[in-house]
Amino acid sequence: MYLVVEQLLNGLQFGLLLFLLAAGLTLVFGIMDFVNLAHGSLYMMGAYFAATFVAWTGSFVLGALMALGATLLLGIVLEYVALRHLYGRDHLDQVLATFGLILFFNDAVRLIWGPAGLALPLPAWLTVPVQIIPGVYYPAYRLMIIAVALAVAAMLYLVVMRTRVGMLIRAGASNREMIGALGINIKLLFTLVFGLGAALAGLAGLMQAPILTVQIGMGENILILAFVIIVIGGIGSIRGAFMAAIFVGIIDTMGRAFLPDLLRKVLSGAAASTAAPALSSMLIYLLMAIILVLRPEGLFPAAKR
Amino acid sequence: MMPKLNASNAVAALMCAALILLPVYSAATGNIFILTLFTRITIYALAAASLNLIMGYGGMMSFGHAAYLGIGGYAVGILAAEGIGSGFIQWPVALAVSALFALLIGSLSLRTRGVYFIMITLAFAQMAYYVASALSRYGGDDGLTVYKRSDFAGLINLSDRTQFYYLCLACLFGGLYLIWRIVNSRFGLVVQGVRSNEQRMQAIGFHANRYRLVCFVIAGTICGLAGALLANNTDFVSPAVMYWTRSGDLMVMVILGGMGSLFGPVVGAIVYLLLEELLSQFTEYSGLILGPVLLLIVLFARGGIMGLLGRMRRG
């Protein structure tokens, strides 16, 4: 029972992390109609920046904040220099160009930080386990991830639904030309949205860094998961991305934790030990394939254009 | 149909001649490396050409095409590991399994369009990747060594570098010829018509998705052949062949060379893999140059290299 609670929390934490990544992706996709494969690279850069700045300043919080700023800046520069010329182009062109950026970032990281991974140590006050219900302890750091991600999600909701910038973002998502024609500086808006997405990806990367090692290619696996989420949730819909991210996070974590035991009850030992890891890794993709076949628009499609 | 003499056709003809004469050059100079490099290039060119059939002519943006490379490869590898060394069994099985997989994922994926199609093909390829990673009997994550190349009863010796190169080249030319015939057939014209305007084709009585599906299966089968060649070339097959970045590489080759042009993917494969190879000799960090080059090509050379050649003729 405790194990189930713990795994549920792990799933929620992973799902929220995925949401941070998917939110940026779905905003950029929904508003600029831009497929950004390099989003995973921004996630990786966030983690590397954090590892560097934390070691440099000696403070986890300060280092994390600096890393966040650095990823935001990187996103804005990237958009300004290269990516803004690709809006309105074919999706395939965008895939090719941002695939090139992945190659670039991976080797740039290898040149600057070396091929070996980095570790991002946690400060002592984040490593203590917290008693959440009597008898169940949970790492404080993971609780912090949940809290931060929920706060960011709430803030994102308020910004998008309640502010003027948010209104422009939503207007941009439903009709790009029209808000341009109404005299809004659409280029600036796009740069801003891209920077925001980059910062969110960086935040996800730097928060994940202490749990996993910081390494080259760390963004590639998780990028595909983020794409799965925005497709399941409905492209351009932040609410859909949120629901789908938590759904995917919990299913993935629970599948990995409990599927092997479940299969062992049905199948023979050898067959189960072969099938379990494959099936638990496939679960998400299977889910996406089923949803796409049954509901090609995703579960929570954004308003029609 | 008589091919016209223009820049892109001239390049294609020169390229074919160079590919045919390459072993002569290699034997004369004793440069074995170039022969092994180009063996790999012809195999990837065949895979890219098959992707071009669905992407360039059919308008189906598959982001999971590397799955067939793995499936063809694993068919050869697994049969070899189980003691069935004959190519006359291995290769037809590789083609049949690839075709079956294409039929299965095609019939599901073709219900979706656009970005959703890109993502669903990617999802299926990732599933194949994880299945291969879990095959602990056949090496799992670490991959499967193919100890003996396919045996064709003395007809051709795959362990001989030159013979194997010519086999790969023959498969490439055969594949290109097949694709050329398909594209110019009634079937191919319908597929291209569906790409331009699905509703109209549907309205004049063509069952659009059936044509798409057949095209998708043919492309998957050709790529399965490339997979069988690849496993023989590297004497090894691993899940990494099916990882999504491999599918990305294939897409890059097609777009780089010129989508929807017969020889485009071949040019793309040659340029991409040569560039990768050359850069890795100068620097450890080839991505630092290759990445921005891809970006620049997208920004300034639409239609890929063949597109550039086509424009040269006009202007």
PDB file of all heavy atoms in Angstrom, chain B residues 200-232:
ATOM      1  N   ARG B 200     -10.434  15.560 -53.933  1.00  0.00           N
ATOM      2  CA  ARG B 200     -10.760  15.411 -55.354  1.00  0.00           C
ATOM      3  C   ARG B 200     -10.583  13.983 -55.819  1.00  0.00           C
ATOM      4  O   ARG B 200     -11.409  13.442 -56.552  1.00  0.00           O
ATOM      5  CB  ARG B 200      -9.869  16.318 -56.195  1.00  0.00           C
ATOM      6  CG  ARG B 200     -10.482  17.659 -56.356  1.00  0.00           C
ATOM      7  CD  ARG B 200      -9.719  18.481 -57.332  1.00  0.00           C
ATOM      8  NE  ARG B 200      -9.980  19.882 -57.031  1.00  0.00           N
ATOM      9  CZ  ARG B 200      -9.359  20.884 -57.591  1.00  0.00           C
ATOM     10  NH1 ARG B 200      -8.399  20.649 -58.468  1.00  0.00           N
ATOM     11  NH2 ARG B 200      -9.665  22.113 -57.288  1.00  0.00           N
ATOM     12  N   MET B 201      -9.465  13.363 -55.412  1.00  0.00           N
ATOM     13  CA  MET B 201      -9.205  11.988 -55.823  1.00  0.00           C
ATOM     14  C   MET B 201     -10.297  11.076 -55.295  1.00  0.00           C
ATOM     15  O   MET B 201     -10.772  10.177 -55.985  1.00  0.00           O
ATOM     16  CB  MET B 201      -7.841  11.515 -55.309  1.00  0.00           C
ATOM     17  CG  MET B 201      -6.672  12.244 -55.898  1.00  0.00           C
ATOM     18  SD  MET B 201      -6.643  12.235 -57.698  1.00  0.00           S
ATOM     19  CE  MET B 201      -6.066  10.595 -58.041  1.00  0.00           C
ATOM     20  N   GLN B 202     -10.699  11.346 -54.059  1.00  0.00           N
ATOM     21  CA  GLN B 202     -11.777  10.570 -53.460  1.00  0.00           C
ATOM     22  C   GLN B 202     -13.061  10.764 -54.271  1.00  0.00           C
ATOM     23  O   GLN B 202     -13.784   9.818 -54.573  1.00  0.00           O
ATOM     24  CB  GLN B 202     -11.987  11.045 -52.020  1.00  0.00           C
ATOM     25  CG  GLN B 202     -12.719  10.080 -51.126  1.00  0.00           C
ATOM     26  CD  GLN B 202     -11.783   9.121 -50.413  1.00  0.00           C
ATOM     27  OE1 GLN B 202     -10.647   9.463 -50.116  1.00  0.00           O
ATOM     28  NE2 GLN B 202     -12.238   7.916 -50.169  1.00  0.00           N
ATOM     29  N   ALA B 203     -13.281  12.028 -54.670  1.00  0.00           N
ATOM     30  CA  ALA B 203     -14.525  12.362 -55.371  1.00  0.00           C
ATOM     31  C   ALA B 203     -14.597  11.725 -56.755  1.00  0.00           C
ATOM     32  O   ALA B 203     -15.670  11.372 -57.225  1.00  0.00           O
ATOM     33  CB  ALA B 203     -14.659  13.878 -55.481  1.00  0.00           C
ATOM     34  N   ILE B 204     -13.424  11.586 -57.413  1.00  0.00           N
ATOM     35  CA  ILE B 204     -13.501  10.947 -58.730  1.00  0.00           C
ATOM     36  C   ILE B 204     -13.386   9.432 -58.610  1.00  0.00           C
ATOM     37  O   ILE B 204     -13.186   8.739 -59.599  1.00  0.00           O
ATOM     38  CB  ILE B 204     -12.462  11.495 -59.726  1.00  0.00           C
ATOM     39  CG1 ILE B 204     -11.068  11.438 -59.132  1.00  0.00           C
ATOM     40  CG2 ILE B 204     -12.805  12.900 -60.179  1.00  0.00           C
ATOM     41  CD1 ILE B 204      -9.991  11.875 -60.093  1.00  0.00           C
ATOM     42  N   GLY B 205     -13.506   8.920 -57.396  1.00  0.00           N
ATOM     43  CA  GLY B 205     -13.711   7.490 -57.254  1.00  0.00           C
ATOM     44  C   GLY B 205     -12.524   6.657 -56.849  1.00  0.00           C
ATOM     45  O   GLY B 205     -12.589   5.437 -56.918  1.00  0.00           O
ATOM     46  N   PHE B 206     -11.426   7.297 -56.431  1.00  0.00           N
ATOM     47  CA  PHE B 206     -10.295   6.501 -55.954  1.00  0.00           C
ATOM     48  C   PHE B 206     -10.398   6.335 -54.454  1.00  0.00           C
ATOM     49  O   PHE B 206     -10.685   7.287 -53.733  1.00  0.00           O
ATOM     50  CB  PHE B 206      -8.971   7.177 -56.307  1.00  0.00           C
ATOM     51  CG  PHE B 206      -8.666   7.128 -57.760  1.00  0.00           C
ATOM     52  CD1 PHE B 206      -8.782   8.273 -58.540  1.00  0.00           C
ATOM     53  CD2 PHE B 206      -8.258   5.945 -58.352  1.00  0.00           C
ATOM     54  CE1 PHE B 206      -8.498   8.230 -59.886  1.00  0.00           C
ATOM     55  CE2 PHE B 206      -7.981   5.904 -59.703  1.00  0.00           C
ATOM     56  CZ  PHE B 206      -8.098   7.040 -60.470  1.00  0.00           C
ATOM     57  N   HIS B 207     -10.138   5.127 -53.995  1.00  0.00           N
ATOM     58  CA  HIS B 207     -10.140   4.875 -52.562  1.00  0.00           C
ATOM     59  C   HIS B 207      -8.765   5.299 -52.045  1.00  0.00           C
ATOM     60  O   HIS B 207      -7.822   4.514 -52.007  1.00  0.00           O
ATOM     61  CB  HIS B 207     -10.395   3.392 -52.312  1.00  0.00           C
ATOM     62  CG  HIS B 207     -10.917   3.125 -50.939  1.00  0.00           C
ATOM     63  ND1 HIS B 207     -10.213   3.484 -49.826  1.00  0.00           N
ATOM     64  CD2 HIS B 207     -12.067   2.557 -50.503  1.00  0.00           C
ATOM     65  CE1 HIS B 207     -10.916   3.145 -48.760  1.00  0.00           C
ATOM     66  NE2 HIS B 207     -12.051   2.578 -49.141  1.00  0.00           N
ATOM     67  N   ALA B 208      -8.651   6.589 -51.645  1.00  0.00           N
ATOM     68  CA  ALA B 208      -7.349   7.201 -51.381  1.00  0.00           C
ATOM     69  C   ALA B 208      -6.498   6.393 -50.407  1.00  0.00           C
ATOM     70  O   ALA B 208      -5.318   6.121 -50.667  1.00  0.00           O
ATOM     71  CB  ALA B 208      -7.549   8.611 -50.845  1.00  0.00           C
ATOM     72  N   ASN B 209      -7.094   5.979 -49.295  1.00  0.00           N
ATOM     73  CA  ASN B 209      -6.277   5.333 -48.270  1.00  0.00           C
ATOM     74  C   ASN B 209      -5.731   3.985 -48.696  1.00  0.00           C
ATOM     75  O   ASN B 209      -4.670   3.585 -48.254  1.00  0.00           O
ATOM     76  CB  ASN B 209      -7.082   5.187 -46.972  1.00  0.00           C
ATOM     77  CG  ASN B 209      -6.669   6.252 -45.968  1.00  0.00           C
ATOM     78  OD1 ASN B 209      -5.804   7.084 -46.272  1.00  0.00           O
ATOM     79  ND2 ASN B 209      -7.256   6.231 -44.800  1.00  0.00           N
ATOM     80  N   ARG B 210      -6.452   3.287 -49.586  1.00  0.00           N
ATOM     81  CA  ARG B 210      -5.950   2.001 -50.047  1.00  0.00           C
ATOM     82  C   ARG B 210      -4.660   2.204 -50.843  1.00  0.00           C
ATOM     83  O   ARG B 210      -3.690   1.493 -50.672  1.00  0.00           O
ATOM     84  CB  ARG B 210      -6.999   1.321 -50.919  1.00  0.00           C
ATOM     85  CG  ARG B 210      -7.555   0.070 -50.270  1.00  0.00           C
ATOM     86  CD  ARG B 210      -8.613  -0.543 -51.123  1.00  0.00           C
ATOM     87  NE  ARG B 210      -9.900  -0.481 -50.463  1.00  0.00           N
ATOM     88  CZ  ARG B 210     -11.049  -0.706 -51.083  1.00  0.00           C
ATOM     89  NH1 ARG B 210     -11.072  -0.952 -52.386  1.00  0.00           N
ATOM     90  NH2 ARG B 210     -12.171  -0.677 -50.417  1.00  0.00           N
ATOM     91  N   TYR B 211      -4.669   3.232 -51.709  1.00  0.00           N
ATOM     92  CA  TYR B 211      -3.473   3.524 -52.501  1.00  0.00           C
ATOM     93  C   TYR B 211      -2.312   3.924 -51.595  1.00  0.00           C
ATOM     94  O   TYR B 211      -1.179   3.494 -51.763  1.00  0.00           O
ATOM     95  CB  TYR B 211      -3.764   4.642 -53.507  1.00  0.00           C
ATOM     96  CG  TYR B 211      -4.507   4.144 -54.716  1.00  0.00           C
ATOM     97  CD1 TYR B 211      -5.888   4.043 -54.712  1.00  0.00           C
ATOM     98  CD2 TYR B 211      -3.817   3.753 -55.849  1.00  0.00           C
ATOM     99  CE1 TYR B 211      -6.571   3.569 -55.804  1.00  0.00           C
ATOM    100  CE2 TYR B 211      -4.485   3.281 -56.952  1.00  0.00           C
ATOM    101  CZ  TYR B 211      -5.874   3.188 -56.934  1.00  0.00           C
ATOM    102  OH  TYR B 211      -6.533   2.724 -58.025  1.00  0.00           O
ATOM    103  N   ARG B 212      -2.623   4.786 -50.613  1.00  0.00           N
ATOM    104  CA  ARG B 212      -1.588   5.199 -49.674  1.00  0.00           C
ATOM    105  C   ARG B 212      -0.985   4.005 -48.956  1.00  0.00           C
ATOM    106  O   ARG B 212       0.226   3.902 -48.801  1.00  0.00           O
ATOM    107  CB  ARG B 212      -2.201   6.086 -48.601  1.00  0.00           C
ATOM    108  CG  ARG B 212      -2.322   7.533 -48.920  1.00  0.00           C
ATOM    109  CD  ARG B 212      -2.951   8.164 -47.702  1.00  0.00           C
ATOM    110  NE  ARG B 212      -3.589   9.413 -47.977  1.00  0.00           N
ATOM    111  CZ  ARG B 212      -2.986  10.588 -47.753  1.00  0.00           C
ATOM    112  NH1 ARG B 212      -1.792  10.616 -47.258  1.00  0.00           N
ATOM    113  NH2 ARG B 212      -3.610  11.697 -48.035  1.00  0.00           N
ATOM    114  N   LEU B 213      -1.870   3.106 -48.509  1.00  0.00           N
ATOM    115  CA  LEU B 213      -1.413   1.966 -47.703  1.00  0.00           C
ATOM    116  C   LEU B 213      -0.483   1.077 -48.517  1.00  0.00           C
ATOM    117  O   LEU B 213       0.584   0.672 -48.047  1.00  0.00           O
ATOM    118  CB  LEU B 213      -2.615   1.167 -47.189  1.00  0.00           C
ATOM    119  CG  LEU B 213      -2.271   0.000 -46.280  1.00  0.00           C
ATOM    120  CD1 LEU B 213      -1.525   0.482 -45.042  1.00  0.00           C
ATOM    121  CD2 LEU B 213      -3.515  -0.759 -45.854  1.00  0.00           C
ATOM    122  N   VAL B 214      -0.866   0.792 -49.770  1.00  0.00           N
ATOM    123  CA  VAL B 214      -0.018  -0.066 -50.607  1.00  0.00           C
ATOM    124  C   VAL B 214       1.342   0.591 -50.788  1.00  0.00           C
ATOM    125  O   VAL B 214       2.397  -0.049 -50.663  1.00  0.00           O
ATOM    126  CB  VAL B 214      -0.688  -0.337 -51.967  1.00  0.00           C
ATOM    127  CG1 VAL B 214       0.273  -1.081 -52.875  1.00  0.00           C
ATOM    128  CG2 VAL B 214      -1.961  -1.143 -51.765  1.00  0.00           C
ATOM    129  N   CYS B 215       1.341   1.896 -51.037  1.00  0.00           N
ATOM    130  CA  CYS B 215       2.579   2.648 -51.218  1.00  0.00           C
ATOM    131  C   CYS B 215       3.429   2.555 -49.946  1.00  0.00           C
ATOM    132  O   CYS B 215       4.645   2.320 -49.994  1.00  0.00           O
ATOM    133  CB  CYS B 215       2.230   4.092 -51.531  1.00  0.00           C
ATOM    134  SG  CYS B 215       3.623   5.092 -52.010  1.00  0.00           S
ATOM    135  N   PHE B 216       2.781   2.710 -48.788  1.00  0.00           N
ATOM    136  CA  PHE B 216       3.454   2.647 -47.497  1.00  0.00           C
ATOM    137  C   PHE B 216       4.114   1.281 -47.288  1.00  0.00           C
ATOM    138  O   PHE B 216       5.247   1.187 -46.812  1.00  0.00           O
ATOM    139  CB  PHE B 216       2.409   2.917 -46.398  1.00  0.00           C
ATOM    140  CG  PHE B 216       2.977   3.181 -45.034  1.00  0.00           C
ATOM    141  CD1 PHE B 216       3.453   4.442 -44.707  1.00  0.00           C
ATOM    142  CD2 PHE B 216       3.016   2.188 -44.075  1.00  0.00           C
ATOM    143  CE1 PHE B 216       3.969   4.706 -43.444  1.00  0.00           C
ATOM    144  CE2 PHE B 216       3.532   2.448 -42.814  1.00  0.00           C
ATOM    145  CZ  PHE B 216       4.003   3.695 -42.502  1.00  0.00           C
ATOM    146  N   VAL B 217       3.399   0.222 -47.675  1.00  0.00           N
ATOM    147  CA  VAL B 217       3.924  -1.137 -47.502  1.00  0.00           C
ATOM    148  C   VAL B 217       5.115  -1.372 -48.429  1.00  0.00           C
ATOM    149  O   VAL B 217       6.130  -1.949 -48.021  1.00  0.00           O
ATOM    150  CB  VAL B 217       2.816  -2.185 -47.745  1.00  0.00           C
ATOM    151  CG1 VAL B 217       3.403  -3.583 -47.780  1.00  0.00           C
ATOM    152  CG2 VAL B 217       1.754  -2.088 -46.665  1.00  0.00           C
ATOM    153  N   ILE B 218       5.006  -0.890 -49.679  1.00  0.00           N
ATOM    154  CA  ILE B 218       6.130  -1.063 -50.609  1.00  0.00           C
ATOM    155  C   ILE B 218       7.379  -0.382 -50.052  1.00  0.00           C
ATOM    156  O   ILE B 218       8.467  -0.961 -50.028  1.00  0.00           O
ATOM    157  CB  ILE B 218       5.785  -0.488 -51.998  1.00  0.00           C
ATOM    158  CG1 ILE B 218       4.655  -1.295 -52.624  1.00  0.00           C
ATOM    159  CG2 ILE B 218       7.010  -0.507 -52.910  1.00  0.00           C
ATOM    160  CD1 ILE B 218       4.113  -0.696 -53.899  1.00  0.00           C
ATOM    161  N   ALA B 219       7.221   0.841 -49.570  1.00  0.00           N
ATOM    162  CA  ALA B 219       8.370   1.579 -49.032  1.00  0.00           C
ATOM    163  C   ALA B 219       8.973   0.845 -47.839  1.00  0.00           C
ATOM    164  O   ALA B 219      10.192   0.724 -47.716  1.00  0.00           O
ATOM    165  CB  ALA B 219       7.945   2.984 -48.626  1.00  0.00           C
ATOM    166  N   GLY B 220       8.104   0.324 -46.966  1.00  0.00           N
ATOM    167  CA  GLY B 220       8.610  -0.398 -45.802  1.00  0.00           C
ATOM    168  C   GLY B 220       9.379  -1.639 -46.204  1.00  0.00           C
ATOM    169  O   GLY B 220      10.417  -1.963 -45.626  1.00  0.00           O
ATOM    170  N   THR B 221       8.891  -2.328 -47.233  1.00  0.00           N
ATOM    171  CA  THR B 221       9.550  -3.551 -47.679  1.00  0.00           C
ATOM    172  C   THR B 221      10.931  -3.251 -48.243  1.00  0.00           C
ATOM    173  O   THR B 221      11.904  -3.947 -47.949  1.00  0.00           O
ATOM    174  CB  THR B 221       8.692  -4.247 -48.752  1.00  0.00           C
ATOM    175  OG1 THR B 221       7.342  -4.255 -48.303  1.00  0.00           O
ATOM    176  CG2 THR B 221       9.154  -5.657 -48.978  1.00  0.00           C
ATOM    177  N   ILE B 222      11.015  -2.174 -49.059  1.00  0.00           N
ATOM    178  CA  ILE B 222      12.322  -1.808 -49.628  1.00  0.00           C
ATOM    179  C   ILE B 222      13.299  -1.470 -48.502  1.00  0.00           C
ATOM    180  O   ILE B 222      14.463  -1.866 -48.511  1.00  0.00           O
ATOM    181  CB  ILE B 222      12.184  -0.616 -50.594  1.00  0.00           C
ATOM    182  CG1 ILE B 222      11.288  -1.000 -51.775  1.00  0.00           C
ATOM    183  CG2 ILE B 222      13.547  -0.184 -51.109  1.00  0.00           C
ATOM    184  CD1 ILE B 222      11.031   0.130 -52.729  1.00  0.00           C
ATOM    185  N   CYS B 223      12.793  -0.757 -47.490  1.00  0.00           N
ATOM    186  CA  CYS B 223      13.671  -0.386 -46.388  1.00  0.00           C
ATOM    187  C   CYS B 223      14.079  -1.617 -45.580  1.00  0.00           C
ATOM    188  O   CYS B 223      15.185  -1.676 -45.044  1.00  0.00           O
ATOM    189  CB  CYS B 223      13.005   0.657 -45.499  1.00  0.00           C
ATOM    190  SG  CYS B 223      14.149   1.467 -44.400  1.00  0.00           S
ATOM    191  N   GLY B 224      13.194  -2.630 -45.517  1.00  0.00           N
ATOM    192  CA  GLY B 224      13.546  -3.883 -44.856  1.00  0.00           C
ATOM    193  C   GLY B 224      14.722  -4.557 -45.550  1.00  0.00           C
ATOM    194  O   GLY B 224      15.600  -5.137 -44.897  1.00  0.00           O
ATOM    195  N   LEU B 225      14.759  -4.448 -46.886  1.00  0.00           N
ATOM    196  CA  LEU B 225      15.893  -4.989 -47.651  1.00  0.00           C
ATOM    197  C   LEU B 225      17.172  -4.264 -47.246  1.00  0.00           C
ATOM    198  O   LEU B 225      18.220  -4.883 -47.016  1.00  0.00           O
ATOM    199  CB  LEU B 225      15.631  -4.815 -49.153  1.00  0.00           C
ATOM    200  CG  LEU B 225      16.781  -5.210 -50.071  1.00  0.00           C
ATOM    201  CD1 LEU B 225      17.055  -6.697 -49.966  1.00  0.00           C
ATOM    202  CD2 LEU B 225      16.483  -4.837 -51.515  1.00  0.00           C
ATOM    203  N   ALA B 226      17.083  -2.924 -47.125  1.00  0.00           N
ATOM    204  CA  ALA B 226      18.245  -2.154 -46.678  1.00  0.00           C
ATOM    205  C   ALA B 226      18.692  -2.622 -45.302  1.00  0.00           C
ATOM    206  O   ALA B 226      19.888  -2.706 -45.016  1.00  0.00           O
ATOM    207  CB  ALA B 226      17.912  -0.664 -46.659  1.00  0.00           C
ATOM    208  N   GLY B 227      17.709  -2.971 -44.448  1.00  0.00           N
ATOM    209  CA  GLY B 227      18.046  -3.455 -43.112  1.00  0.00           C
ATOM    210  C   GLY B 227      18.802  -4.771 -43.170  1.00  0.00           C
ATOM    211  O   GLY B 227      19.786  -4.970 -42.444  1.00  0.00           O
ATOM    212  N   ALA B 228      18.361  -5.684 -44.062  1.00  0.00           N
ATOM    213  CA  ALA B 228      19.055  -6.966 -44.205  1.00  0.00           C
ATOM    214  C   ALA B 228      20.490  -6.739 -44.683  1.00  0.00           C
ATOM    215  O   ALA B 228      21.432  -7.390 -44.214  1.00  0.00           O
ATOM    216  CB  ALA B 228      18.301  -7.865 -45.185  1.00  0.00           C
ATOM    217  N   LEU B 229      20.668  -5.799 -45.616  1.00  0.00           N
ATOM    218  CA  LEU B 229      22.013  -5.470 -46.101  1.00  0.00           C
ATOM    219  C   LEU B 229      22.862  -4.894 -44.972  1.00  0.00           C
ATOM    220  O   LEU B 229      24.030  -5.238 -44.802  1.00  0.00           O
ATOM    221  CB  LEU B 229      21.934  -4.465 -47.246  1.00  0.00           C
ATOM    222  CG  LEU B 229      21.409  -4.974 -48.581  1.00  0.00           C
ATOM    223  CD1 LEU B 229      21.145  -3.810 -49.522  1.00  0.00           C
ATOM    224  CD2 LEU B 229      22.407  -5.925 -49.202  1.00  0.00           C
ATOM    225  N   LEU B 230      22.248  -4.000 -44.191  1.00  0.00           N
ATOM    226  CA  LEU B 230      22.979  -3.320 -43.127  1.00  0.00           C
ATOM    227  C   LEU B 230      23.490  -4.316 -42.089  1.00  0.00           C
ATOM    228  O   LEU B 230      24.633  -4.222 -41.636  1.00  0.00           O
ATOM    229  CB  LEU B 230      22.069  -2.282 -42.465  1.00  0.00           C
ATOM    230  CG  LEU B 230      22.755  -1.274 -41.558  1.00  0.00           C
ATOM    231  CD1 LEU B 230      23.697  -0.405 -42.356  1.00  0.00           C
ATOM    232  CD2 LEU B 230      21.731  -0.414 -40.841  1.00  0.00           C
ATOM    233  N   ALA B 231      22.641  -5.291 -41.720  1.00  0.00           N
ATOM    234  CA  ALA B 231      23.057  -6.287 -40.728  1.00  0.00           C
ATOM    235  C   ALA B 231      24.238  -7.085 -41.264  1.00  0.00           C
ATOM    236  O   ALA B 231      25.168  -7.419 -40.526  1.00  0.00           O
ATOM    237  CB  ALA B 231      21.901  -7.213 -40.394  1.00  0.00           C
ATOM    238  N   ASN B 232      24.221  -7.372 -42.576  1.00  0.00           N
ATOM    239  CA  ASN B 232      25.337  -8.098 -43.169  1.00  0.00           C
ATOM    240  C   ASN B 232      26.582  -7.239 -43.248  1.00  0.00           C
ATOM    241  O   ASN B 232      27.704  -7.725 -43.148  1.00  0.00           O
ATOM    242  CB  ASN B 232      24.964  -8.586 -44.574  1.00  0.00           C
ATOM    243  CG  ASN B 232      24.245  -9.911 -44.525  1.00  0.00           C
ATOM    244  OD1 ASN B 232      24.812 -10.906 -44.110  1.00  0.00           O
ATOM    245  ND2 ASN B 232      22.983  -9.910 -44.915  1.00  0.00           N
TER     246      ASN B 232
END
